[in-house]
């Protein structure tokens, strides 16, 4: 089975036309597919409307109880169900899940002696059997970035990480392509210049690209995560622009990361 | 297969302790089960906080776009995912769905030449195959009262009606018991006196109970709906108090409605 695991970020979700165009492209993707969505501006807007102050420690958002409530409403409710309804209108049999549903993603509250991240969840296990069974039945699974601790507590987990863990877990069931759709055309050697997309990175040219400064430091964690995924069984990771999804799948747009070229 | 279709109302959802106690009882229900939840005060509170005025026409709430957004966030997001996480903590493999997920409940926007109910959905079809397949795989399905029109629009649908339509649709797959859990001990002949529960109503004593005034007029629509369900294949409909769920299932609490005694 060929499985596409596709992650979209907040910017697409904030604009109705972009979302509609993206979902046209997504619905047309052949084979089994899983969509993981992040949040968008709506959660922050709602926090502001309800006078919930977003706490930041070391540049990271702290998920307090009120913020978790908003995130659950917006991500698992509003965004997830609207995406599902819009895909159903495109003859794509979408079914939306959070990490609590069917114990899809079990996690634990992040423990750090130095600081309290609040209700942030680090992933323990992906229920790949549930995903496999739904995909085999013809469903497209739409995942909201919430996990749970199996003790009744929902937790907020980074959508990029969820996408990566799902891709890794599903790689025992087939050939998994992981695609990160964002605003840039791919990994750029010059961040100001969209024409400088690095088309492919593999174990052979990685070190060279780092040494000669083509991959700048800010991009390194993302690249390292992608390599971790391909080393653990994911066929390829592609980073590219959301409106090029069809071309990313063909391998003619974005940056593709494979263990070997 | 024995299937219990259980509906809970808003009052249970508004109180953490009641919800916890109810979910203990629900998790202990044997056999296949489906939970349908209504809303609670949270949606109205959120509307008030965000200065959304609830429009009422002839005593019915009109679901405008902003109200639908709140309902989607609260019902399909906050309430549904918290119930699922709390059931998972009780070793009940819950999976939460809205009517859009997997095309579970297709509906159309209510059409009425006299008034516009907004985004209110009347049910066209229940995807009983999806429910049957999930129940057979050991999942407990938790349904939020949202439907969709398969054209991308989510719709607000009464949870009592959803419970009834699901019970009817599932009756081709097994013996279906439909249970409405609310604040009263059952159908009361004296609404002020909890000791006046009518234990059983069937086709034989229905007319008599109406004629002698034992079933008062306000209760008639609910009773008629229950009879419609049993006439269309549902084994029984029980109306009773949420903290008596186990006794309702044993037939020793609440009012049971069957076609024949």
């Amino acid at each position: 089975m060929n499985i596409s695991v596709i992650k979209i970020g907040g910017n697409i979700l904030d604009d109705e036309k972009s979302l509609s165009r993206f979902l046209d492209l997504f619905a047309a993707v052949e084979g089994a597919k899983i969509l993981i969505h992040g949040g968008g501006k709506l959660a922050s807007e709602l926090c502001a409307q309800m006078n919930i102050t977003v706490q930041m420690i070391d540049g990271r958002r702290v998920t307090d109880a009120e913020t978790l409530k908003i995130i659950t409403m917006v991500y698992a409710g509003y965004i997830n169900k609207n995406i599902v309804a819009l895909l159903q209108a495109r003859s794509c049999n979408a079914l939306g899940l959070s990490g609590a549903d069917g114990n899809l993603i079990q996690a634990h509250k992040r423990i750090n002696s130095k600081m309290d991240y609040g209700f942030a969840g680090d992933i323990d296990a992906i229920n790949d059997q549930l995903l496999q069974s739904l995909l085999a039945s013809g469903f497209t699974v739409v995942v909201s970035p919430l996990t749970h601790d199996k003790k009744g507590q929902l937790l907020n987990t980074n959508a990029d990480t969820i996408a990566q863990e799902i891709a890794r877990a599903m790689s025992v069931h087939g050939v998994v392509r992981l695609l990160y759709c964002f605003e840039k055309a791919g990994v750029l050697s010059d961040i100001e210049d969209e024409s400088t997309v690095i088309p492919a990175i593999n174990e052979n040219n990685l070190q060279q690209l780092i040494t000669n400064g083509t991959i700048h430091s800010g991009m390194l964690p993302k690249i390292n995560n992608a390599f971790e995924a391909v080393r653990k069984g994911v066929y390829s990771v592609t980073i590219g622009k959301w409106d090029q999804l069809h071309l990313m799948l063909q391998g003619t747009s974005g940056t593709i990361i494979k263990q070997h070229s």
Side-chain angles (χ1 to χ4, degrees), chain A residues 15-169:
Chain A
D15 179 64
E16 207 174 304
K17 274 192 188 167
S18 298
L19 180 60
S20 180
R21 172 73 187 130
F22 172 79
L23 293 178
D24 285 342
L25 293 172
F26 179 79
V29 172
E30 285 179 18
K33 55 201 174 196
I34 299 168
L35 181 64
I36 294 105
H37 59 83
K41 280 185 204 151
L42 183 57
S44 314
E45 282 171 7
L46 212 54
C47 282
Q49 269 185 292
M50 296 176 69
N51 295 316
I52 300 166
T53 338
V54 175
Q55 290 183 60
M56 304 284 282
I57 300 184
D58 293 341
R60 277 173 174 271
R61 173 190 283 206
V62 177
T63 312
D64 60 11
E66 281 302 301
T67 305
L68 180 70
K69 192 170 176 176
I70 299 284
I71 284 173
T72 307
M73 295 198 295
V74 173
Y75 296 178
Y78 185 73
I79 294 177
N80 193 269
K81 297 318 163 197
N82 272 291
I83 289 177
V84 166
L86 292 168
L87 286 174
Q88 286 285 344
R90 287 160 172 81
S91 297
C92 172
N93 199 1
L95 189 148
L97 299 176
S98 74
D101 295 300
N103 195 26
L104 179 62
I105 313 171
Q106 198 172 325
H108 61 269
K109 195 169 174 294
R110 183 172 302 154
I111 298 153
N112 187 315
S113 55
K114 289 185 192 154
M115 65 164 286
D116 183 1
Y117 288 97
F119 298 104
D122 286 330
I123 297 173
D124 292 319
I126 302 284
N127 186 347
D128 57 286
Q129 293 295 340
L130 170 58
L131 289 172
Q132 165 64 14
S133 153
L134 289 169
L135 295 179
S137 301
F139 293 105
T140 291
V141 184
V142 181
V143 181
S144 63
L146 283 153
T147 57
H148 78 136
D149 66 0
K150 203 90 167 53
K151 295 171 195 158
Q153 181 64 56
L154 293 167
L155 295 164
N156 180 21
T157 297
N158 179 278
D160 281 5
T161 309
I162 289 179
Q164 188 185 325
E165 294 290 336
I166 285 179
R168 282 168 53 178

Side-chain angles (χ1 to χ4, degrees), chain A residues 199-206 227 230 235-236 256-261:
Chain A
I201 308 175
N202 56 53
E203 301 274 14
N204 304 326
N205 67 356
L206 174 64
F227 269 104
V230 296
Y235 177 74
S236 63
I256 190 161
I257 292 147
K258 279 185 176 178
Q259 200 159 6
H260 304 288
S261 58

Side-chain angles (χ1 to χ4, degrees), chain A residues 153-204:
Chain A
Q153 181 64 56
L154 293 167
L155 295 164
N156 180 21
T157 297
N158 179 278
D160 281 5
T161 309
I162 289 179
Q164 188 185 325
E165 294 290 336
I166 285 179
R168 282 168 53 178
M170 293 310 289
S171 62
V172 301
H173 298 284
V175 175
V176 177
R177 286 171 178 81
L178 172 58
L179 296 99
Y180 286 103
C181 297
F182 73 144
E183 296 301 305
K184 301 278 182 185
V187 179
L188 308 177
S189 51
D190 175 0
I191 202 164
E192 303 295 326
D193 185 354
E194 287 276 317
S195 73
T196 63
V197 174
I198 305 166
I201 308 175
N202 56 53
E203 301 274 14
N204 304 326

